[in-house]
Amino acid sequence: NEDAQIVGVWSAMTPIFLEGLWVRDDYRKHSTVAGRLLSGMKSLLHDLNIGTSFTLVQDPYVLGLAEKAGFQVLPGNLCQLDLREN
């Protein structure tokens, strides 16, 4: 404003999104594949000094697995602003 006071702020960041997890059907419920993938991903992110990551979950069963793995369900809605449009 005229008094050089900050009256608004907005940040841009590059979040780390974890996507594309896939386990073959016959290994999904009774194997260690998903747990080993999670352990490996956490180790990789730690080695890269990445402290926070996100994933988008739409299936209730997968949401339960994500919560069991330590993911926290966040409030709000994910929205996209597509700047490629004119």
Side-chain angles (χ1 to χ4, degrees):
N1 66 12
E2 298 80 23
D3 296 327
Q5 296 174 336
I6 297 173
V7 295
V9 66
W10 199 2
S11 299
M13 6 180 185
T14 304
I16 302 299
F17 273 90
L18 305 177
E19 293 298 329
L21 175 64
W22 175 81
V23 176
R24 201 171 75 185
D25 285 346
D26 55 331
Y27 280 80
R28 287 191 181 169
K29 293 190 179 184
H30 303 291
S31 77
T32 61
V33 174
R36 292 172 67 189
L37 287 169
L38 175 65
S39 177
M41 182 60 77
K42 288 169 78 173
S43 178
L44 173 65
L45 295 174
H46 179 268
D47 290 349
L48 295 172
N49 201 30
I50 295 171
T52 302
S53 60
F54 302 89
T55 193
L56 180 62
V57 179
Q58 296 177 321
D59 179 271
Y61 175 75
V62 176
L63 180 60
L65 294 176
E67 289 180 291
K68 184 178 178 183
F71 285 84
Q72 296 176 333
V73 178
L74 301 176
N77 298 291
L78 180 65
C79 302
Q80 175 184 344
L81 175 61
D82 189 347
L83 300 173
R84 298 171 295 178
E85 300 290 322
N86 289 333

